[in-house]
Amino acid sequence: MGLVLQVYLDDQKVYVCFKCNTHIALHSDIVSKAFQGRHGRAILFANAYNVTPGEKEDRMLITGEHTVADVHCNTCQTLLGWYYYYAAVGEERYKEGKYAIEKKLISKDPQWT
Ligand SMILES: [Zn+2]
């Protein structure tokens, strides 16, 4: 394994990976909090950091067909959520290019103010 470069988010409100504390997302990038993940609530973020989308796959969800990819923490490889490449249903298109992260897999950075 090579060196994993981490992006440090210089912000007051940062969500981190619950396992390894790597910075994952900014509170200010939240698009929606009312999201259903595979294991409970998920948060939709406009952007995520220190994660890498895996293989693209088509998934049939309650809201129609989507092309998504799982995203893992770059540091500890925990599966944190998924990335939306494409949504077939027009009203779901706002999710394209965004990340849904399972709420229980991230925590607030200790410096959250
Ligand atoms: Zn991690």
Side-chain angles (χ1 to χ4, degrees):
M1 290 292 287
L3 179 69
V4 179
L5 287 178
Q6 284 189 19
V7 178
Y8 181 83
L9 301 176
D10 191 13
D11 197 272
Q12 301 285 294
K13 294 179 175 179
V14 177
Y15 284 100
V16 299
C17 172
F18 83 113
K19 251 190 191 169
C20 71
N21 285 321
T22 293
H23 287 189
I24 300 296
L26 294 171
H27 181 75
S28 55
D29 276 339
I30 290 178
V31 176
S32 169
K33 275 188 156 178
F35 242 68
Q36 190 58 39
R38 259 166 288 179
H39 311 291
R41 282 294 190 84
I43 302 176
L44 188 71
F45 289 100
N47 218 334
Y49 304 85
N50 303 312
V51 297
T52 314
E55 293 275 302
K56 276 187 196 179
E57 53 180 282
D58 294 327
R59 257 180 228 167
M60 197 63 195
L61 306 172
I62 313 164
T63 46
E65 196 185 322
H66 293 73
T67 302
V68 299
D70 285 337
V71 295
H72 295 82
C73 171
N74 281 351
T75 307
C76 70
Q77 306 305 319
T78 297
L79 175 60
L80 294 176
W82 64 98
Y83 175 76
Y84 285 102
Y85 281 101
Y86 169 77
V89 180
E91 62 204 40
E92 305 298 327
R93 288 260 163 87
Y94 73 94
K95 294 186 277 192
E96 291 177 358
K98 300 189 176 70
Y99 296 83
I101 305 292
E102 306 269 359
K103 207 171 176 182
K104 68 175 183 185
L105 299 182
I106 48 174
S107 50
K108 290 176 179 177
D109 185 271
Q111 292 180 26
W112 187 292
T113 48

